[in-house]
Amino acid sequence: MSEADSVASQPDNANVYDPAAMQERWLPVWDELAPFRSGDPEDPRPSKYVLDMFPYPSGDLHMGHAEAYALGDVIARYWVQRGFNVLHPIGWDAFGLPAENAAIKRKEDPAVWTYENIATQKASMRRYACSFDWDRVLNTCDPEYYRWNQWLFLQMYSRGLAYRKDSAVNWCPTDQTVLANEQVVDGKCERCDSVVTKKKLNQWYLRITDYADRLLDDMSQLEGQWPEKVLLMQRNWIGRSTGANVDFAISGRDEPVTVYTTRPDTLYGATFFVVAADSELAAELAADGPAEVEFAEYLETVKKASDIDRLATDRPKTGVFLHRYATNPVNGEQLPVYASDYVLADYGTGAVMAVPAHDQRDLDFARAFDLPVRVVVEADTDPAVTGEATADDGIHVNSGPLDGLGKEEAIKSIIEQLSAQDGGDTAVNYRLRDWLISRQRYWGTPIPIIHCSTCGEVPVPQEQLPVKLPPAEGLDLQPKGSSPLGAATDWVNVACPSCGQPAKRDTDTMDTFFDSSWYFLRFLDPHDDAQAFDPDQARKWLPVDQYVGGVTHAILHLLYARFFTKVLHDMGLVEVVEPFARLLNQGMVQMDGSAMSKSRGNLVRLSDELDVHGVDAVRLTMVFAGPPEDDIDWGDVSAAGAKKFLARAWRLSGDVTSDPGVPAADGDMELRKATHRLVNDAQIAVDSHRFNVAVAKTMELVNATRKAIDSGCGPVDPAVREAVEAITVMLSLVAPYTAEDMWSRLGHQPSVARAGWPVVDEALLVQDVVTCVVQVQGKVRARLEVAPDISAADLERLALAADPVINALEGLEIRKVIVREPKLVNIVAS
RNA sequence: GCGGGAGUGGCGGAAUUGGCAGACGCGCUGGAUUUAGGAUCCAGUGUCGAGAGACGUAGGGGUUCAAGUCCCCUCUCCCGCACCA
């Protein structure tokens, strides 16, 4: 009995795949080596920035994190293997409501809960073998971070990009509290079920609408690099439309009222006029008129019911006639003015000209209020009869000078006419609103403004930053419509920096989206206490080459980060105008067809999976399950299977009997060709983010190597070592523990993470025989082994001579032969 | 309603420019080895058919020597927006 046999038949610990032991062995080694440290200024490698969306520290990591970080890690580790200095940082998005709610429940400072969770997640990330640069960790709730939030806010303030105004917020009259949109369920308070109303508060805004055009236009840079879906969602969110403003004189009012329309060409079809019920204009037009009482009642019902009814589709149109008339500027017609909630107060000017024939909403209203419908664009059907407004292009009628024109010409013509009489012009409108950043909550960045009765709003001087949060102790964190910080009297009362008189701090905190809008810049040096970030470092690292995260942030976070980048560009601090060159939205991890949740009873705990299958098997399962942007159903995939494969690969490293450094050129050619072809395939797959395919190629190579050892060239052949070393490096992207252990068993020093991607020898990619398929009538009848450089004529001759082809052609006459040498011949016969 | 994406074996999924459909894996079947196996190794596995063969990428039509891939129509599912004038 040979020694190898005895090992195989009596497995001892040295030859058993043991993930827990590997974790034990390699984690301390990696801590020591820090193979992913990226901060050496002398590092000669070209740089790349791979960024995972940073987590919210609400408990331990879950399966969703495991997927996202597995994918980000493949990318980061791949570029390290390809010889890049990869910046792959992590931090925590640590401010926000969940911490505050947990604090209220546990009656302790939100910081305690937050830092506990950060420690837990950090330990899990280490175990999960994320290739993060641990020198660059940041927490947004640390003063050394939010200090620069405040600095940025003041920069924006001085540039006129941060301002205060009154605005309506969701208000629960029972709980006396402001509610976030997420806390409003079906128009009702999620806690007490009372109907949510609106309340006016004076709040801080960022003027993102100033950047609407650039946010839209710069998306051309992202085309093909970001998911099309995300770009589309952003476009819709910004919602740019072009049309015209048209002035209408209103009876009993000095100033005309401007309306915005995308169809000024239908102006002759206007038969009434509508103002938003909840607009100031409506209140003004109703005041002291015959409709005053009716309007007041209507407004009450609108305010009460709006959020509930918003969700109803096809809700009937309601409104109040205000006993006023608007004058159509082109024909002098008197149009009755209505107030209705189908017109939005905060879009356009809050007033519209109603053209029922060509706008469905106007038509619905006209039918409800028995108002005339006048067709001004020819169509096959009559809206007054069908109840369907026609919105297509067509020839204009009943439109005076516009008669006979098409849509575009008519628009051009009417705008010329209006601007000539100074009654209107082209106009652009956006759905995007300015960004409300005020939060009346404790656990966020204090807004660095001091309110002085004589000086007004006074920015906190830079040398006084950060404005630190006062201790939570003694403060009532329950939401009540004003910030808990208001009760911290020692903190609130300060001397005005400008005049020295007693003044008060602003007590609002910032939306946490502010924190995450620039964190990718802070990673360049999270501990720099002289500046938010170093513009030279930004020049070196930006833009982020690859951003990885969930599609949940498709709009807000990504839009805000793009906005900040443009502001910083305008300040001369960054060169780029777009922060994230490429975006990958990973799918979600589900269980049995639906999102995992405790209440549904289908929650899979990451730590349990790691205990049972090992870190590498879980990571491999995530990566191999399918395309990264697809959802994974954990019930459909097999972490046990992944572990089995890893063990199979790992055993190869124990079978290699040649020494490290043996010249591969002397090895078995068949295996060598397989190795180089599959490494090449895997490389192409990783480059195009088809990680599941890259894993499949690695599996093929494992199978080929197993076969070569058992029934081919044998374990001592140098080609076996070459193949197993290639497998090890390929696996290092997905299964770092297994790969490190294999690398060591192969006689190398750690870390395999820096071993370098195998160099593909192009010469080994050329095949000396290829299989040619011979089809008759499109059906495969024969396969020929031919030289890759065979001539078309030779191939045709060979094909026609093959027995199955001759049989298939019996009784038929050849019409045409298509030859695509060297892979295919198709014979057409009849 | 509007917009977008997707339908391939029992399952997850592969498939340069149109050129062998089902790579790789899970599951299953059989075999070898084993005291044992949730270990390992080997073989098989789209459907129908005993077989040759026929059929087969949601359904229907089309272009082509050739279609999962291109064009038209229909169905189903998922996602986003939802009175934005």
Side-chain angles (χ1 to χ4, degrees):
Chain A
M1 191 190 247
S2 73
E3 194 183 315
D5 282 341
S6 79
V7 167
S9 59
Q10 289 177 348
D12 56 37
N13 286 341
N15 214 19
V16 170
Y17 179 75
D18 183 353
M22 288 180 198
Q23 193 174 302
E24 198 75 11
R25 178 170 179 199
W26 294 114
L27 271 180
V29 175
W30 294 339
D31 287 344
E32 186 69 28
L33 292 173
F36 303 109
R37 193 169 279 158
S38 56
D40 178 2
E42 306 294 308
D43 200 315
R45 297 174 294 171
S47 54
K48 236 179 221 305
Y49 193 169
V50 177
L51 182 63
D52 294 296
M53 287 184 185
F54 64 166
Y56 192 86
S58 54
D60 201 354
L61 299 183
H62 52 65
M63 296 296 281
H65 293 121
E67 187 195 2
Y69 297 144
L71 295 170
D73 229 42
V74 170
I75 298 170
R77 287 172 176 271
Y78 174 68
W79 288 115
V80 171
Q81 294 289 25
R82 292 291 301 272
F84 285 79
N85 184 20
V86 175
L87 173 52
H88 187 212
I90 196 68
W92 280 271
D93 191 11
F95 271 139
L97 265 185
E100 197 155 338
N101 291 338
I104 292 167
K105 214 166 170 180
R106 295 161 44 141
K107 297 191 169 58
E108 66 181 20
D109 195 310
V112 175
W113 183 85
T114 302
Y115 282 102
E116 273 175 18
N117 284 334
I118 288 173
T120 304
Q121 291 196 348
K122 191 173 178 183
S124 293
M125 287 169 177
R126 177 173 172 268
R127 177 187 186 189
Y128 201 61
C130 295
S131 63
F132 296 134
D133 181 346
W134 293 108
D135 293 345
R136 296 179 185 263
V137 175
L138 63 80
N139 303 315
T140 58
C141 65
D142 289 342
E144 75 168 1
Y145 185 86
Y146 71 70
R147 165 185 186 171
W148 301 106
N149 275 349
Q150 293 170 337
W151 175 81
L152 264 165
F153 175 90
L154 292 176
Q155 291 299 312
M156 292 190 184
Y157 183 79
S158 70
R159 300 173 75 86
L161 293 172
Y163 67 98
R164 277 203 310 168
K165 72 169 181 193
D166 284 336
S167 73
V169 296
N170 299 311
W171 178 257
C172 173
T174 308
D175 292 348
Q176 288 287 297
T177 176
V178 170
L179 299 174
N181 284 334
E182 295 75 26
Q183 296 171 302
V184 181
V185 180
D186 291 340
K188 295 175 185 170
C189 173
E190 67 170 352
R191 273 182 306 195
C192 68
D193 253 11
S194 48
V195 174
V196 172
T197 60
K198 300 281 180 186
K199 184 183 177 172
K200 290 226 157 159
L201 282 181
N202 193 256
Q203 314 228 59
W204 286 99
Y205 284 82
L206 297 187
R207 217 177 284 282
I208 191 172
T209 51
D210 275 9
Y211 286 76
D213 280 324
R214 287 164 68 186
L215 287 166
L216 206 53
D217 296 339
D218 290 347
M219 263 186 258
S220 60
Q221 294 185 22
L222 309 175
E223 210 69 58
Q225 309 297 310
W226 282 32
E228 193 51 42
K229 179 185 170 184
V230 172
L231 294 177
L232 204 88
M233 284 166 75
Q234 296 225 346
R235 276 193 197 101
N236 291 340
W237 188 261
I238 296 165
R240 179 164 66 190
S241 78
T242 54
N245 281 334
V246 185
D247 296 338
F248 285 74
I250 305 283
S251 56
R253 192 178 198 267
D254 297 338
E255 291 292 309
V257 171
T258 302
V259 302
Y260 172 73
T261 175
T262 53
R263 291 296 302 272
D265 57 310
T266 62
L267 187 48
Y268 284 87
T271 57
F272 58 103
F273 191 95
V274 190
V275 297
D278 54 342
S279 65
E280 283 175 20
L281 178 63
E284 178 210 311
L285 294 180
D288 304 322
E292 189 170 14
V293 175
E294 196 191 345
F295 171 76
E297 285 168 2
Y298 178 65
L299 184 58
E300 264 325 290
T301 60
V302 166
K303 272 186 177 166
K304 262 194 203 129
S306 64
D307 281 342
I308 300 172
D309 282 4
R310 276 266 153 101
L311 300 168
T313 53
D314 266 356
R315 66 191 264 252
K317 293 283 184 287
T318 57
V320 174
F321 177 44
L322 297 180
H323 296 273
R324 299 256 203 166
Y325 292 87
T327 305
N328 188 330
V330 287
N331 57 12
E333 276 187 46
Q334 295 298 295
L335 310 175
V337 177
Y338 287 80
S340 173
D341 66 349
Y342 87 88
V343 172
L344 305 175
D346 57 355
Y347 182 77
T349 59
V352 302
M353 65 177 211
V355 184
H358 307 298
D359 182 285
Q360 191 60 46
R361 298 151 302 180
D362 295 344
L363 182 59
D364 293 342
F365 191 89
R367 285 161 74 92
F369 286 78
D370 208 18
L371 292 158
V373 177
R374 185 191 304 149
V375 171
V376 291
V377 180
E378 268 184 356
D380 299 336
T381 57
D382 181 3
V385 175
T386 60
E388 304 279 330
T390 59
D392 295 336
D393 199 351
I395 301 301
H396 284 66
V397 295
N398 299 325
S399 294
L402 303 183
D403 284 353
L405 299 181
K407 180 173 155 185
E408 295 310 319
E409 304 162 295
I411 289 175
K412 196 165 168 258
S413 167
I414 191 79
I415 288 175
E416 277 169 12
Q417 185 190 332
L418 288 168
S419 60
Q421 65 193 57
D422 212 18
D425 211 339
T426 49
V428 177
N429 250 293
Y430 305 89
R431 296 178 59 175
L432 183 69
R433 306 291 145 76
D434 275 344
W435 172 14
L436 168 61
I437 60 158
S438 284
R439 295 293 180 273
Q440 290 74 45
R441 298 300 292 247
Y442 171 79
W443 193 233
T445 304
I447 288 177
I449 294 284
I450 290 166
H451 299 282
C452 170
S453 52
T454 48
C455 309
E457 290 167 1
V458 182
V460 172
Q462 246 192 75
E463 62 275 11
Q464 289 177 27
L465 298 181
V467 177
K468 286 193 193 172
L469 276 175
E473 203 188 340
L475 298 181
D476 176 16
L477 301 187
Q478 288 287 350
K480 53 191 176 298
S482 63
S483 171
L485 291 176
T489 43
D490 290 351
W491 180 85
V492 168
N493 292 305
V494 288
C496 169
S498 176
C499 69
Q501 296 300 305
K504 288 186 189 302
R505 290 192 188 281
D506 196 297
T507 57
D508 282 356
T509 52
M510 296 180 198
D511 180 2
T512 56
F513 275 119
F514 195 108
D515 312 353
S516 54
S517 293
W518 69 283
Y519 76 111
F520 52 94
L521 284 160
R522 188 64 186 168
F523 276 133
L524 305 183
D525 183 358
H527 309 300
D528 188 338
D529 59 7
Q531 55 194 339
F533 60 92
D534 179 349
D536 287 334
Q537 291 290 310
R539 206 165 296 127
K540 171 175 176 179
W541 292 105
L542 288 196
V544 171
D545 295 281
Q546 182 64 59
Y547 199 20
V548 180
V551 73
T552 36
H553 294 111
I555 300 177
L556 296 183
H557 162 60
L558 291 170
L559 193 70
Y560 295 151
R562 296 181 59 223
F563 164 54
F564 268 47
T565 303
K566 291 174 201 306
V567 172
L568 290 165
H569 174 87
D570 292 350
M571 290 167 63
L573 296 177
V574 298
E575 284 182 335
V576 297
V577 294
E578 286 294 334
F580 312 125
R582 273 184 106 183
L583 174 66
L584 172 65
N585 285 138
Q586 87 280 359
M588 292 184 312
V589 186
Q590 307 183 327
M591 187 61 188
D592 300 333
S594 51
M596 292 194 274
S597 76
K598 232 182 265 175
S599 55
R600 227 185 240 112
N602 64 348
L603 192 75
V604 179
R605 281 184 40 170
L606 175 60
S607 59
D608 293 346
E609 296 303 294
L610 298 180
D611 290 345
V612 174
H613 306 290
V615 168
D616 286 352
V618 170
R619 290 173 55 126
L620 179 67
T621 305
M622 294 290 183
V623 173
F624 184 54
E629 45 291 297
D630 286 6
D631 291 344
I632 298 171
D633 195 306
W634 200 246
D636 287 341
V637 294
S638 171
K643 184 178 177 181
K644 222 165 85 180
F645 161 72
L646 288 172
R648 189 172 144 84
W650 178 84
R651 279 194 300 275
L652 292 176
S653 64
D655 291 343
V656 173
T657 48
S658 58
D659 290 328
V662 65
D666 302 341
D668 178 75
M669 275 312 274
E670 205 184 329
L671 181 58
R672 292 207 69 208
K673 285 190 163 188
T675 302
H676 285 259
R677 175 173 57 82
L678 290 165
V679 167
N680 189 54
D681 287 355
Q683 183 174 322
I684 291 167
V686 173
D687 282 332
S688 51
H689 289 180
R690 285 145 54 237
F691 308 123
N692 54 329
V693 179
V695 171
K697 299 297 178 186
T698 312
M699 288 171 165
E700 280 192 63
L701 186 52
V702 168
N703 292 342
T705 310
R706 179 82 265 153
K707 199 166 237 165
I709 292 171
D710 291 349
S711 55
C713 58
V716 77
D717 192 286
V720 169
R721 171 167 282 277
E722 182 184 38
V724 177
E725 291 188 351
I727 289 165
T728 305
V729 174
M730 288 154 94
L731 273 182
S732 76
L733 312 186
V734 188
Y737 292 106
T738 307
E740 195 71 82
D741 220 62
M742 289 173 72
W743 198 238
S744 160
R745 280 154 61 94
L746 286 164
H748 295 292
Q749 292 300 307
S751 169
V752 69
R754 297 286 292 269
W757 188 255
V759 177
V760 174
D761 183 346
E762 299 283 338
L764 292 170
L765 298 180
V766 279
Q767 297 178 289
D768 35 33
V769 285
V770 296
T771 304
C772 174
V773 175
V774 185
Q775 299 176 328
V776 177
Q777 312 288 58
K779 296 200 159 102
V780 181
R781 296 297 176 184
R783 283 159 219 276
L784 307 171
E785 299 293 307
V786 300
D789 56 353
I790 190 168
S791 72
D794 285 351
L795 187 58
E796 180 174 343
R797 207 170 309 123
L798 274 176
L800 290 171
D803 285 344
V805 174
I806 291 167
N807 290 341
L809 283 173
E810 206 175 289
L812 297 175
E813 191 183 333
I814 296 172
R815 296 268 168 228
K816 200 201 265 189
V817 179
I818 289 105
V819 181
R820 291 282 177 275
E821 71 280 5
K823 306 269 285 194
L824 180 122
V825 177
N826 192 7
I827 300 158
V828 186
S830 61

